[in-house]
Amino acid sequence: MGQRLMSYIPDMDKWVGALISFIIPFGFFCLFNWLKSYQFPKKKRGTPEDYSGLINDNEVFKLTDDLRNNLQVMKETIGHSSDVVFRQIQIGTSGRMAAVVYVDGLADKKSLQEQIIKPLLQDQDLGKQTMMNVDRILKDIKDSVIPIVEGKVVRSLKDCIPEVLSGNTALFIDGVEDVLILGSKGGESRAIEEPVAEEVVRGPRDGFIENLRTNTVLIRQRIKDPNLTMINYKIGRRSQTNLALIYIKGLTNQDLVEEVKRRIEQIDIDNVPESGYIEQLIEDNYLSPFPQMQNTERPDRVASALIEGQFALLLDGTPFALIAPVTFSMMMTSPEDYYQRWLPASLLRLMRYGAAFMALFLPSLYIALISYNHGLIPTKLVMSIVAGREGVPFPSIVEGLIMEVTLEILREAGLRLPKQIGQTIGIVGGLVIGQAAVEAGIVSPIMVIVVALTAISSFTFPQYGVGIAIRILRFGMMMVAALLGLYGIIMFYILIMAHLVKLKSFGVNYLSPFVPYCPIDWKDSIIRIPLKMMNRRQETSKAQDHKRQ
């Protein structure tokens, strides 16, 4: 009986391998679908007025026709901040008192002095008869006295406070309940410079800055279409950050516009410091490692996307704009691909796809071939690898993880250090640690070469988010390669492709134009055909006007 049981032991490895190969993919599939379908409990939030402190319309803080009362209300609401300035003046020779309220640093002092305060102090046209007519005061001041382009009348404190905190000036007049909001936004801002995160080889060298209005001007300079539409939103209960939705009316699919409007209006958060918040809150699948929106500092990339029927989101306070919908092939393209002839552009794209394959598969293929599939390696190469691994105490997966983790730490350290020091640390650190590890017998020379090729390949991605996704998946690929060899790599690859086939970006298939099959769009995917032949926009964008030229 014992000998019979022992006769089945050699087959146990096959049964265990088959069982593991079934359990791991099935377990990941079940976990992923459970997380995606799980509805996290949401806490009940109050209305925006509940989070605005004293900004409400109760009897205590209600605006009246008494200037002292109104100023007292403003001081009790935002006067506790030292940068909020209250300045009382007398309007001309009428004897009527007024006051301006603004935030020092956000309002343009020169514009405030020359175009608001000075005209009010020196005006002689507003006689006492006009000043006695309460209904005409604000209209005459706005139309005849103050040479400010932007001006509007508000009737409540909750409408007045956000305008003042945005950089505008509030004009209060004794005897008038309404408040005149005058456009005086200014303050310090960074000059337009070359994009930092996206190196420009050929093309415009201006990049977005942290000022929303400057960024919209950069787009207007490139697209003078009267149908270019910009819709403003206030995002963040406390921050009240300005967000601009930009698209071309009549070109961008209207259903797509309505969908992005719906998602933006559902955002409920206190603070939005960067466009990455918006990306995470409105993307289709928050569990996917792949980015479903494209971020960029380049106005030319945004303008080109708008012309193709996509939309863009610009957030005040960040130079990074968001573009959607996108596909994986769009993530692998660069604006320089269209600024040069089609042959070098196509060659560079093919090189990027080859580098993506190496960045994802190279370490795992090495581990699988060394651990399980020795017969697939040429004999001379096997002898060279065995000689290099002589004395290495760890299996291939351990030395691979050691080198990959070390490389990721060096890469992160290089990003966090000052630019001049970070580049030196990344290069010198990699060389020194790699050489020291080989001499100490911790890793083999061939593993250092594999990891170095993988690192170089991961730097070729035009989009940083795609590179991060590949780096994450590379570790998973290495683990299944150590467990199941080439069979595990194939299973993991099938899971990745199944996820990408199902993934969408605002209703557009992420693997378009490959899945679903759309051969007409292949002219601008892996290769780029001559511009004279690209006379139609891609079908995947679902633009209302498909004719490009």
Side-chain angles (χ1 to χ4, degrees), residues 460-472:
T460 61
F461 295 104
Q463 282 291 310
Y464 182 69
V466 178
I468 293 178
I470 296 297
R471 285 154 58 185
I472 294 172

Side-chain angles (χ1 to χ4, degrees), residues 338-530:
Y338 303 95
Y339 300 155
Q340 54 188 346
R341 301 181 68 251
W342 70 280
L343 277 175
S346 300
L347 180 62
L348 290 175
R349 285 194 186 178
L350 288 172
M351 183 190 66
R352 291 191 199 114
Y353 279 97
F357 178 86
M358 293 177 62
L360 180 60
F361 288 100
L362 193 57
S364 56
L365 284 174
Y366 173 77
I367 293 171
L369 294 176
I370 290 296
S371 304
Y372 292 93
N373 309 98
H374 314 89
L376 297 178
I377 308 176
T379 305
K380 292 184 178 180
L381 182 58
V382 169
M383 295 176 63
S384 176
I385 293 174
V386 170
R389 285 185 51 80
E390 186 178 357
V392 177
F394 304 114
S396 57
I397 178 62
V398 175
E399 62 172 335
L401 289 176
I402 290 175
M403 291 304 300
E404 285 290 345
V405 171
T406 303
L407 182 66
E408 294 297 329
I409 293 173
L410 285 173
R411 189 186 328 224
E412 187 68 17
L415 289 175
R416 303 306 165 201
L417 289 172
K419 187 174 182 180
Q420 294 79 2
I421 304 175
Q423 294 177 351
T424 305
I425 291 295
I427 297 173
V428 176
L431 292 174
V432 171
I433 293 177
Q435 183 66 25
V438 171
E439 292 180 355
I442 299 176
V443 297
S444 60
I446 187 66
M447 177 57 77
V448 175
I449 295 174
V450 169
V451 172
L453 287 175
T454 304
I456 295 173
S457 300
S458 64
F459 291 141
T460 61
F461 295 104
Q463 282 291 310
Y464 182 69
V466 178
I468 293 178
I470 296 297
R471 285 154 58 185
I472 294 172
L473 295 174
R474 182 165 65 238
F475 284 97
M477 190 76 76
M478 292 170 62
M479 298 300 296
V480 296
L483 289 174
L484 304 172
L486 290 177
Y487 181 73
I489 294 177
I490 294 172
M491 291 298 297
F492 198 81
Y493 174 71
I494 292 174
L495 288 177
I496 295 174
M497 296 307 297
H499 168 67
L500 289 177
V501 168
K502 191 177 180 181
L503 187 61
K504 294 181 182 295
S505 173
F506 287 86
V508 174
N509 293 283
Y510 202 69
L511 283 186
S512 299
F514 309 107
V515 180
Y517 182 68
C518 186
I520 195 173
D521 286 348
W522 281 37
K523 60 188 178 183
D524 191 21
S525 54
I526 297 181
I527 62 172
R528 203 218 81 191
I529 64 175

